[in-house]
Every structure is written in structure tokens, then in C-alpha cells.
Amino acid sequence: MAEKITMSPDGSLNVPDEPIIPFIEGDGTGVDIWPAAKLVLDAAASKHGHTVAWKEVLAGEKAFKETGEWLPDATVEAFRDHLIGIKGPLTTPIGGGIRSLNVALRQLLDLYVCLRPVRWFQGVPSPVRHPEKVDMVIFRENTEDVYAGLEVQEGTEDAKRLIEFLRATYGWDIRPDSGVGIKPVSETGSKRLIRAAIEYAARRGRKSVTLVHKGNIQKFTEGAFRSWGYELTREEFPDVAVGWDDCGGDPGDKILVKDAIADITLQQVLTRPDEFDVIATTNLNGDYLSDALAAQVGGIGIAPGGNINYVTGHGVFEATHGTAPKYAGQDKVNPGSVLLSGVLMYEHIGWQDAADDIVRALEQTIADKIVTYDFARLMEGATQVRTSEFAQAIVERL
Ligand code: NAP
């Protein structure tokens, strides 16, 4: 019988054999990649005695056509009520009241972790010589920083008022023809993000957590993020993890918590990727880092993501690329991103066997050089297949 996933009092998820999981198909290429991903997800679940009762909910263009709203309340409520869901890419309405549907959903459900694992799959074409050395998991803060959307436009009364207030109160001399944005970074927001990263590292046997920040310049936001990370390590994880300064870089069998400045990190993830494991970082740094890292291991078509609140149990897993409208409905693009987001979702709900099977079958398909156009153009001797054929090939290898 189909049932909802619920949260136990001890903070773990209760997952029935037939959980109801809401999904948003997504705009543009969503019509291609979602059915393909679903085919594989269903086949892998059934191999292990599970069934997903998928429940379609609307957002984006499909929602706008049917209900006149881009993100209907019913959709947000379905995700709230069922805890775990998945979504394809959504168009960002231009000039509408909503900045981005993805950002809105993250804020409404307070999904404070953007989880982006980045690893290489055997056979995937990559621009670097040793993509196999990349195996990182990014915990990007998802609710604060410049993404909070606290901005005033140049030339408006609001901008003039704010600039005048800042001059009168702090003596800050801001050019009158400036737009101004506010970057909040709180102790609460930083610590819950870093807590989730350390707990993940402990659960998964990871070796280090690197706090990536720009604290040399932005001392009271990015610098504070770093300090709060070390403070949290000492206060909450003395048996599990240790900060660099507290162990001279030698953590013994504990998780090493270290830090790195964002610009240097972008160099070092290229030159010494094996020195990074779990990364915890603020919102904008995390945005740049996850795309730069995804490029190293084969790019946008296969990078998965999850938006999670580990306290309430809510998680929305999503394709990290956009709607690629020029390819919509052509059965052409790579379904890997939404499929691997489904794998992340299965791992999150404890269906590790099914998740592992999909990864193995996907690797085998790519090793057999059966790939969609994006990989085919970078590989020699590849057989280029359609989105649906790629999914079928994975299912045959499950
Ligand atoms: P995009 O849709 O990500 O497409 C950019 C390029 O990425 C494509 O032209 C294609 O490259 C490649 N690509 C995207 N999806 C792929 C897939 N499944 N397989 C293989 N290659 C893929 O970015 P965009 O054109 O800038 O944005 C289009 C719309 O998506 C906008 O409305 C934007 O706001 C929205 N968006 C949504 C999300 C989200 O929902 N999470 C994220 C980003 C953007 P080639 O042409 O080189 O093959």
C-alpha cells in the first residue's frame, strides 16, 4: 500500500516499501529526461522489492498553463507533506514576481543544505588528466548570503535612502549611482550547514571537511563562517572531528576540519583534487565551486543535486542544469543529472542497494560507449543514442 515517508522522533526517516514521492517533471527537456530517469529508478527499486508511488505535482510552465501560477501552493504543500521529492529543471520566469522557482522552493521549505556530490564515472570524457581523483561532496549553504535577494536598484528611492542611511550611520561613502545588496551570514545558518557536513562525513567515513570562505576580505560574514565552523567542531564533535589548529594538521582517526580561501580553492581543486573530500561553504562560493567541479568530471549533463533540511526531514532532489529549451522534446539530451539526483534520493532514504545498482549500470553503459550526444561528441567510437535509448541501455545493465 502506498504510504507517506514520515520522520521518527529520533530524527530518522520512516520509509515504507511503497513510498509516495512527489515529482515535478520540469520544463523544456524535462519531458525527455524525467521519463527516462523514472524508467531506471523504477527498475532498480523493483529489483530490491520496492515500488515508488510517484505523485505528479506542477510547477513552472506546465503549472502556469493549468493554474495561472508558476509555483502553486498545492505543490509546496505536497513537498512539505511527503518530505521527500524530486524535480526536473524549471524555467525562470523573466519579469515575474518570483526571482527563481528553485530558490523559492528552497526558501519556502527552508532547505538549508544544497548537496552536490562530484565524482567521476569511468569512461566519461573529461578535460583534465586525472578526473578519477575528483571525489568531493559539496555542502553549499542554501538560504543566506547574496542569494537572500536583499537588493535595491540603482537610482530608486530605496537605494537613495539606504545609501544616505549608511553614510549618516557608519560614514560609508557609497557612490550615489550604485545598486546595493546585503549579504547576511548568520551563526545559526552557518553552524547548521557545517553540522550537516560533519555528520555526513562521519556517516560516510569521509576523511576531511574543508570550510571554503573568503574571510580574508569579508571578515564578518565569510570569516565568521570559518570561525563558527571551528567553534562548532570543538563544541559538538570533540570525539569525531578536530580542527586543523587543534591538532597541527594531524587528526589521527578523526575527521580533519580545515579551511581554505575560495579563490585558492578553485585552483587547488584542479591541481590537487585528492586533498579535498567534503566541502562546506557559503552560498555564492558553493555555486561557483559546484559548476567548476562538475566540469572536471564531465559536466553539466550528469551533475546531481539535493536540497535538504536534515532537521525537518525535507529533501527535494533536482537536476542541476537548466531546461535547455533548444533541445526540448527531441529525446536527445542526457538524463544523467536527474537520474543521479534520484540516486542521491535513494541513498538519502536508505535504498543504498538500488542506488549502487544504478551507478554500476550507468558506468557500464558509458564504458560500452553507449551515450547521448553531449558525451558522444567528446568520445571516439561512441554509439550516440537518444535519451530514452540511453535509459533502456542502463536498465538492461542493472
Ligand atoms: P541550460 O538549460 O542548463 O543549458 C545550457 C547548455 O547546457 C545546453 O545548451 C547544453 O549544452 C547543456 N545542457 C543542459 N542540459 C543538458 C542535458 N540534460 N544534457 C546535456 N547537455 C545539457 O542553461 P540555460 O540555457 O542558460 O537556461 C535555460 C533555462 O533554464 C533558463 O530559464 C534558466 O533560468 C533555467 N535554469 C534552471 C535551472 C534549474 O531548474 N535547476 C538551472 C539553471 C537554469 P550544449 O548546447 O553545448 O549541448
Side-chain angles (χ1 to χ4, degrees), residues 29 33 87-92 102 300-301 318-327 333-335 373-374 377:
T29 52
I33 59 177
K87 60 176 277 294
L90 292 174
T91 303
T92 300
N102 301 308
I300 198 160
E318 65 174 357
T320 57
H321 54 68
T323 57
K326 66 181 172 183
Y327 298 126
V333 297
N334 195 334
Y373 84 99
D374 51 325
R377 68 188 169 189

Side-chain angles (χ1 to χ4, degrees), residues 204-215:
R204 301 287 176 125
R206 294 279 184 159
K207 299 275 173 274
S208 70
V209 175
T210 306
L211 309 169
V212 174
H213 61 89
K214 194 68 191 146

Side-chain angles (χ1 to χ4, degrees), residues 115-345:
L115 177 68
R116 293 275 180 92
V118 191
R119 54 159 290 204
W120 182 66
F121 294 95
Q122 188 85 33
V124 172
S126 155
V128 298
R129 257 180 291 173
H130 291 290
E132 73 285 355
K133 290 188 176 173
V134 179
D135 182 8
M136 305 178 203
V137 182
I138 302 172
F139 278 70
R140 167 186 168 195
E141 206 290 325
N142 224 359
T143 62
E144 306 193 320
D145 198 348
V146 291
Y147 277 72
L150 307 175
E151 289 193 313
V152 287
Q153 190 180 357
E154 179 272 325
T156 59
E157 273 311 308
D158 282 341
K160 280 185 205 150
R161 228 183 353 256
L162 185 57
I163 289 170
E164 175 49 28
F165 171 77
L166 294 172
R167 192 199 58 73
T169 313
Y170 299 105
W172 295 354
D173 192 15
I174 296 173
R175 286 195 190 103
D177 61 343
S178 300
V180 181
I182 305 271
K183 174 187 171 100
V185 173
S186 70
E187 180 174 355
T188 308
S190 302
K191 282 190 170 171
R192 68 178 181 172
L193 181 274
I194 298 165
R195 184 179 297 120
I198 297 177
E199 283 172 350
Y200 177 97
R203 255 194 329 273
R204 301 287 176 125
R206 294 279 184 159
K207 299 275 173 274
S208 70
V209 175
T210 306
L211 309 169
V212 174
H213 61 89
K214 194 68 191 146
N216 53 333
I217 304 296
Q218 303 166 48
K219 297 191 190 306
F220 302 133
T221 50
E222 299 271 330
F225 176 86
R226 168 191 179 278
S227 308
W228 288 322
Y230 284 127
E231 193 177 285
L232 177 90
T233 306
R234 275 192 294 273
E235 285 173 356
E236 295 187 20
F237 298 98
D239 301 333
V240 176
V242 61
W244 180 282
D245 286 346
D246 295 330
C247 68
D250 178 11
D253 55 4
K254 293 182 184 171
I255 296 161
L256 178 64
V257 178
K258 50 187 178 160
D259 75 281
I261 291 176
D263 42 55
I264 299 163
T265 303
L266 280 162
Q267 286 189 20
Q268 292 185 342
V269 290
L270 262 177
T271 54
R272 313 185 212 154
D274 37 6
E275 290 181 15
F276 293 87
D277 194 343
V278 175
I279 290 176
T281 189
T282 50
N283 207 334
L284 184 61
N285 293 333
D287 194 13
Y288 297 150
L289 251 180
S290 27
D291 274 27
L293 276 168
Q296 281 196 54
V297 294
I300 198 160
I302 62 159
N307 300 289
I308 302 171
N309 182 322
Y310 286 94
V311 178
T312 61
H314 289 108
V316 178
F317 296 81
E318 65 174 357
T320 57
H321 54 68
T323 57
K326 66 181 172 183
Y327 298 126
Q330 293 180 22
D331 198 16
K332 177 174 172 125
V333 297
N334 195 334
S337 177
V338 73
L339 174 60
L340 289 170
S341 301
V343 166
L344 260 190
M345 179 176 81

